[in-house]
Amino acid sequence: SLLRRAPPFKEMQTRLAAAKWALVRDFSAALRQDVVVTDRVTAHHLLVRRGAGGAFCNRPPTSTASSVLSRQRHHNIGSAPYGALWRGIRRNLVSEVFHPSRLRVYAPARRRALCGLVADLREQCKSSNDGLVLAAESMHAALFGLSAAMCFGGDVDSRLVRAMADGMEELIRSLVGLRVFAALPALTELIYRDRWNKLVTLRRQQEEMYLPLVNARRGLLRRPSGEAPTYVDTLIELLVPDDSHFDSGAKASKQRLTDGELVGLCSEFLGAGTEPATAALQWVMANLVKHVDVQEAVRSEIDAFVGADAEEVSEDDLGKLEYLNAVLMEALRLHPTVPSVARQVMPDDHVFLDGRRVAAGTTVQFPLERLARDETAWAEPDKFAPERFLAGGGGDGVSLVAAAGSAGEIKMMPFGAGRRMCPGMGVAMLHLGYFVANLVREFEWTEAEGDLAVDLEPQVGFLNVMERPLRALLKLRNKRA
Ligand code: HEM
């Protein structure tokens, strides 16, 4: 088996630099050894072409709070094993709140989030002498507020939303540390008592904050007419198959989600919907601060398409802004905010690497930044060059969804690939485009000096975030000038 002998870590690092894939030992989960695939053709073959047959669609047991606390019994979309439950809860998300026709209904919530963010940045601008703002926190608050409105409705008290956002940041910070609980939970629970207690406390706080809101939605006999259904509304209605029956071949019984599962799914919606998107928004704006010429070109494109009297760059305008889209793609290529995608080989999977079968249980990792900076795919792969995504450039026609056909290939995959790819991609791209366009239209962004300069150094943990959260000098624009 490939797993029998893993060479030492240093040797693996060297091998990784040259090979298509390699075995490495994962020190944070002592009992695990991973295969890391660094070759994009192999990644395409494993994730997309094999996936067409349904195989290789499981993640390793995860460290989501719900899975850990329920000993892998409660699952959200990201942690559910490939099967009927996963299909049911994922389909609910993409066919209800994330259905393209529904996304329009949330336009007022998006506008409220944008107005709050612009007001906050203006306020910071006014109260500092030179216009220096700490944009990162304001961006997080705006995107979290938007996710909370889509999840629970728009009338949640702002202090409660703030407390939810703080709790989520703490949970994300502790996620890497929770990986130890994926193996031997009963034992690790004793060894890492403090971490366990912390997790229990965070989940209890989530229950105290989320469940009254869930129950309030349950109590609504009818939604006010015209109001968009919230994510919670769809979850309350949802009947999910019982996966244990499904596997045994018996007719699957259907049941409602428990309160514990509801809290887990809301936590996933708020976390997955906010944290990678906030990180991406910062990476885009940081690159625009570093490349003022690119920022100016984005602004000119917007001014050409959006009238000076228009209140905002709207969702309908975004489709016309090709250069803006090129900037988003280039930032996501260089700084994929989820560092790595993982799959676990199950006993029925037939996964081969260079003709050798990979043992069941092995985790296969796909490091996203490395795959997207491949010299065989891109000229000057480390350079920020949005033009490459315009007509005639090396990225012209590159899709975020890798195709299954033999001609398909992966040049970048910031939202993953195959059946488990991110179901929030459409909404994430909409939010990113909307916020970047309007922030560039409202303000001129420049770099402060010295310690306050923009630093493109990443901090890679559970997510790939800017090590020094984004700060910049902002000047309010006169759009009618
Ligand atoms: C810029 C923003 C985002 C980025 C970069 C991102 C990236 C990713 C990546 C790389 C994966 C793993 C895919 C794979 O394994 O192939 C993923 C999965 C997932 N994402 Fe996102 N995501 C973003 C926004 C969102 C949003 C807005 C939501 C909405 C709630 C969301 C929900 C999920 C869920 C539920 C999964 C698990 C899917 C499954 O296992 O079937 N993400 N995301």
Side-chain angles (χ1 to χ4, degrees):
S1 138
L2 280 173
L3 280 188
R4 223 171 292 138
R5 262 181 334 111
F9 190 67
K10 240 200 163 137
E11 185 190 329
M12 287 294 50
Q13 295 279 49
T14 324
R15 231 197 247 184
L16 262 181
K20 294 184 193 168
W21 55 271
L23 270 176
V24 294
R25 194 181 288 277
D26 181 342
F27 290 103
S28 59
L31 300 175
R32 236 174 64 179
Q33 278 185 123
D34 295 355
V35 169
V36 179
V37 173
T38 50
D39 171 58
R40 61 198 186 86
V41 179
T42 311
H44 182 250
H45 183 78
L46 291 180
L47 284 169
V48 184
R49 296 188 63 193
R50 286 198 56 81
F56 206 39
C57 294
N58 278 285
R59 295 220 170 79
T62 64
S63 50
T64 62
S66 317
S67 315
V68 170
L69 286 169
S70 69
R71 303 236 160 92
Q72 307 291 324
R73 270 182 290 115
H74 286 176
H75 286 293
N76 54 35
I77 303 170
S79 68
Y82 185 65
L85 171 70
W86 169 76
R87 221 170 279 121
I89 50 183
R90 181 171 166 123
R91 193 187 298 131
N92 174 64
L93 178 67
V94 293
S95 66
E96 292 281 345
V97 281
F98 284 179
H99 191 275
S101 65
R102 278 278 168 79
L103 282 177
R104 279 185 177 279
V105 193
Y106 301 108
R110 278 195 291 280
R111 200 165 303 130
R112 268 198 307 277
L114 175 69
C115 288
L117 174 56
V118 170
D120 189 5
L121 295 176
R122 271 190 198 171
E123 200 48 50
Q124 283 194 53
C125 237
K126 261 199 246 153
S127 53
S128 76
N129 289 337
D130 46 6
L132 184 73
V133 302
L134 176 55
E137 272 185 27
S138 314
M139 288 172 172
H140 186 262
L143 282 169
F144 193 91
L146 177 51
S147 292
M150 292 173 80
C151 188
F152 299 112
D155 50 359
V156 182
D157 182 85
S158 59
R159 279 164 306 184
L160 179 55
V161 176
R162 175 80 242 166
M164 288 186 206
D166 291 346
M168 183 57 69
E169 280 191 304
E170 217 171 320
L171 188 66
I172 300 279
R173 267 198 299 276
S174 52
L175 276 183
V176 174
L178 297 187
R179 289 170 69 181
V180 292
F181 295 121
L184 303 179
L187 181 66
T188 41
E189 189 186 313
L190 281 176
I191 301 175
Y192 299 100
R193 201 72 211 152
D194 287 353
R195 275 189 221 179
W196 181 263
N197 289 341
K198 170 101 191 169
L199 181 61
V200 172
T201 308
L202 286 173
R203 176 43 56 103
R204 194 172 305 130
Q205 285 168 356
Q206 283 188 324
E207 283 167 4
E208 284 164 11
M209 290 188 281
Y210 300 176
L211 283 177
L213 300 173
V214 171
N215 288 331
R217 299 300 301 187
R218 277 196 180 112
L220 276 186
L221 289 178
R222 301 185 79 212
R223 271 196 311 275
S225 71
E227 193 198 273
T230 65
Y231 185 47
V232 162
D233 295 337
T234 69
L235 294 176
I236 292 170
E237 297 283 315
L238 188 66
L239 287 171
V240 288
D242 180 347
D243 259 7
S244 53
H245 291 192
F246 192 82
D247 290 344
S248 67
K251 197 171 171 343
S253 56
K254 296 233 174 186
Q255 57 200 15
R256 298 240 180 251
L257 295 164
T258 62
D259 277 359
E261 288 164 334
L262 271 165
V263 170
L265 283 159
C266 291
S267 173
E268 174 183 64
F269 186 89
L270 297 172
T274 308
E275 307 303 326
T278 306
L281 183 55
Q282 284 187 64
W283 282 121
V284 177
M285 294 311 300
N287 277 287
L288 292 182
V289 170
K290 284 282 186 201
H291 303 270
V292 181
D293 52 333
V294 176
Q295 186 187 146
E296 207 34 67
V298 172
R299 193 171 289 122
S300 306
E301 184 184 49
I302 293 170
D303 288 348
F305 280 106
V306 183
D309 290 330
E311 207 178 304
E312 59 163 14
V313 184
S314 73
E315 185 182 328
D316 293 332
D317 300 320
L318 293 177
K320 301 174 214 146
L321 303 175
E322 282 177 14
Y323 191 66
L324 169 74
N325 191 52
V327 166
L328 302 185
M329 292 288 280
E330 181 66 337
L332 284 166
R333 183 185 72 80
L334 283 173
H335 312 281
T337 52
V338 173
S340 167
V341 154
R343 298 286 184 271
Q344 186 175 43
V345 180
M346 304 307 279
D348 292 341
D349 290 340
H350 298 273
V351 177
F352 287 87
L353 283 170
D354 292 343
R356 295 163 74 189
R357 185 166 180 175
V358 184
T362 307
T363 292
V364 185
Q365 297 272 0
F366 301 87
L368 299 191
E369 185 176 323
R370 164 104 194 219
L371 286 162
R373 293 189 183 212
D374 186 330
E375 282 176 350
T376 65
W378 305 101
E380 297 187 85
D382 297 330
K383 188 174 164 197
F384 179 75
E387 312 73 54
R388 63 171 101 234
F389 286 96
L390 299 178
D396 183 16
V398 166
S399 165
L400 288 170
V401 183
S406 55
E409 61 171 346
I410 289 175
K411 282 186 152 188
M412 58 191 282
M413 51 169 198
F415 294 96
R419 295 200 174 181
R420 300 297 295 240
M421 86 169 280
C422 178
M425 185 184 84
V427 73
M429 290 305 284
L430 168 63
H431 289 176
L432 262 185
Y434 179 71
F435 281 98
V436 171
N438 282 294
L439 290 178
V440 167
R441 187 169 181 254
E442 291 291 332
F443 302 99
E444 279 169 26
W445 295 66
T446 49
E447 187 169 16
E449 286 176 0
D451 282 352
L452 298 173
V454 170
D455 185 351
L456 294 179
E457 204 47 47
Q459 188 188 72
V460 183
F462 182 69
L463 292 174
N464 168 14
V465 298
M466 291 178 68
E467 189 169 55
R468 289 221 322 248
L470 178 65
R471 287 168 201 266
L473 300 175
L474 263 61
K475 195 167 140 219
L476 202 57
R477 277 185 79 222
N478 177 1
K479 296 187 285 270
R480 291 192 185 80

